[in-house]
Amino acid sequence: MEKKILFPQAGGFLHGGDYNPEQWLDRPDILKEDVRMMKKAGVNCVTLGVFSWSVYEPVEGEFHFGWLEKIMDHLYENGIFTILATPSGARPAWLDETYPEAMRVSRQGMRNHHGVRHNHCMSSPEYRKKTADMDRRLAERFGSHPGLLMYHISNELGGECFCPLCTARFQSYLSEKFDHDIEKLNQAWWTTFWSHRYSSFSQVEPPFANGEGSIMGLNLEWKRFTTWNMTDFLKEEIRALREITPSVPVTTNFMMLYNGLDYRKMARELDVISWDSYPRFHNDEETLFETMTENAFHHTVMRSMKKEKPFMLMESAPGLVNWHPFNKVKRPGVHKLFCLQTAACGSDTVQYFQWRKGRGSFEQYHGAVVDHLGTDDTRIFRETAQVGELLKKIAPAAGTCVRARAALLFDWDNRWAIQDVKALAEPTKCYEKTCISIWKEFLKMGVEMDVVPSDDDFSGYDVIVAPMLYLLQPGTASCLKQFVERGGQLLATYFTGYVDDNTLCFMGGFPGDGLSELFGVISEEIDTLYPSDRNHIRFGDGWEDWEVRDYAEILRLTDAEVLGRYTDDFYQGGAALTRKRYGRGNAYYAAARCCPGQMRPLFEQMLAQAGIPVKQFPEGVEYHVRTGDEGTYEFYLNYGTAPACVQEVYGQDMLTGSEISGTLTLEGYGAAVIRK
């Protein structure tokens, strides 16, 4: 696998983060000290201009870029590169005063006032025009600067707008989607129910808080439209920059599994994927291992959007944040593990929000490398500098990628449809939690598992797990059949294949669209269990019983083999886990929700059939592998406070320089990066 270093001019990994010198233009002593301390902390890149519009253009038509040029020049002279943001994430007051249409309208139908962030209407022609003008000016002034690495479009794009402009765009979008035939929409959305038929697209409103919210097709399509409209806004910013500087790469920072936008649609427009990671460390519900491995899942979601190249961590907190329910600081040693995990999962950057804490306003207590104390002798600064040194030691790993032979299917459309469906039990649907918990079990076995949409290319995978694939995209069923037929191992679960992409139920039995043939079963009923209810699945091959919670489907067998049967209730003895040989592969169907830890024998069986090795690790140790044309890099992270020993490890530890010949000993909160 060829190495694809994102920024070879930086010599490996980027280390830095958001820098806001415009807040300190009256303190040249602080600006000078910042650069000195950045060099001491091993910072080689900063992000500038994220929220600088009111400084760039304090009055409409009056531009001030000289301060930014001086900052970029000084940084570059000291070996520090720049990621330059476009400032569209927050607008100056004069813009909203002059162009009120730029402010969003809420779901309640009320126009927002000026303030906060992400408060712009994506459809506003005036705002698009002002943004494009600003972007062109930035590209003209700084596009050829030797310190410029890339553009950062806006910041954490999100939200929705219900203004007349967006409503009109939504109606036009629907008309195009349904071939200008309102009867196609009526059929797809089943609007005859409750007499909700439309006679023209002009009658279709967004799902206002006091309006239509009972049509699942409408609710889903509005979310798709919001993604489409935000992506169109993103494309306009990119277009303006590329008119001047076509070769400068672009990104925008995503936010975990943000519910408001389908990031995979937006990812197609970006050169590199980046995201912001803020786990809730040291909470009273999870161990550090659980918190960190969930963060690894989110890294993997981002990595899987562009599997052929590394991704970027654009923001993280070197200490604490100011907006969690409980803003607890990272304990000593955790920041090192967090940053090495970022690299282990495929990122070529470790970046922070922010370099220096501000004196006032909303994020004055948000963590930073430099505290209000202003010195370089704090614990946070020392730990940040330590990370800078570690990233230099593992620099050869930059540009390598994670190669996964297993994949978990996770769709935003499916997620939205499950959230909206009037079925099951609202408190226990837990689609995201279900996916994450299964993914974590594979991680514990040392198996890299991409997280991909159901319309992805499956040709590179040998094992696929599809939890709760309620909504089927066109073509997904046939692609899954082809995957199994060529020798793939597939596991689907309860609540699979109930509706099409317009949320219309399939006729002829679930799972629909031909998947009943693939799995050899039909789900006749799905039983929603109360929290106190339990059932079990018993096997005839020595596996221990699995406990059933929340959901249990009652299956009709066609030509599947029964591996496990229910032990209780009126469906006692009924099939609960099945397998059907299809072509050269196997299609497994788990009809009930069980703990992924109990399901491990099934996962191990599927991996063995696919020829994917399973590894053994001490409790609390996480493992990843990055691969390039020069070799592989194995990352071992110990989230326990006690030492841990890992067997069958060979190669040089890049963090210590020592050779490992069989047994790797990790100290408490210890880590190793083994080059092979």
Side-chain angles (χ1 to χ4, degrees), residues 416-581:
W416 290 332
I418 291 174
Q419 288 172 353
D420 199 36
V421 68
K422 304 307 173 191
L424 308 181
E426 288 298 326
T428 59
K429 289 179 183 177
C430 300
Y431 173 61
E432 298 90 339
K433 182 179 179 181
T434 299
C435 290
I436 293 171
S437 62
I438 291 174
W439 184 90
K440 281 186 176 183
E441 200 60 36
F442 280 80
L443 179 68
K444 293 174 184 177
M445 294 185 285
V447 176
E448 296 286 4
M449 186 180 227
D450 285 343
V451 181
V452 300
S454 62
D455 58 357
D456 200 50
D457 178 6
F458 301 150
S459 61
Y461 301 115
D462 299 301
V463 171
I464 290 178
V465 180
M468 299 176 70
L469 193 58
Y470 168 68
L471 181 148
L472 295 181
Q473 301 285 0
T476 294
S478 61
C479 288
L480 290 175
K481 285 183 176 180
Q482 292 169 16
F483 168 78
V484 178
E485 195 167 31
R486 68 165 174 80
Q489 308 299 316
L490 171 65
L491 170 63
T493 75
Y494 55 93
F495 214 48
T496 287
Y498 279 45
V499 298
D500 66 11
D501 61 325
N502 289 307
T503 71
L504 278 184
C505 285
F506 289 109
M507 302 298 288
F510 305 142
D513 202 20
L515 286 183
S516 291
E517 175 196 352
L518 172 61
F519 293 104
V521 299
I522 291 175
S523 172
E524 289 195 357
E525 299 180 75
I526 184 165
D527 193 12
T528 297
L529 308 183
Y530 279 91
S532 60
D533 290 333
R534 295 290 183 275
N535 204 322
H536 293 83
I537 302 174
R538 184 156 295 157
F539 305 92
D541 59 359
W543 294 356
E544 293 184 3
D545 289 4
W546 299 356
E547 185 179 76
V548 174
R549 298 189 181 206
D550 300 335
Y551 302 109
E553 284 181 328
I554 302 167
L555 300 182
R556 177 195 301 181
L557 293 178
T558 54
D559 55 353
E561 173 190 1
V562 179
L563 301 181
R565 298 181 182 274
Y566 292 115
T567 62
D568 300 293
D569 218 317
F570 73 93
Y571 39 92
Q572 177 182 354
L577 177 68
T578 65
R579 175 180 60 197
K580 179 179 174 181
R581 185 77 176 173

Side-chain angles (χ1 to χ4, degrees), residues 347-363:
S347 174
D348 269 8
T349 75
V350 173
Q351 296 162 276
Y352 313 118
F353 182 86
Q354 52 190 326
W355 168 254
R356 178 184 286 272
K357 286 184 179 179
R359 291 190 66 191
S361 202
F362 187 79
E363 292 180 309

Side-chain angles (χ1 to χ4, degrees), residues 238-249:
I238 295 172
R239 189 178 302 117
L241 294 167
R242 285 185 171 155
E243 287 175 9
I244 314 298
T245 50
S247 62
V248 179

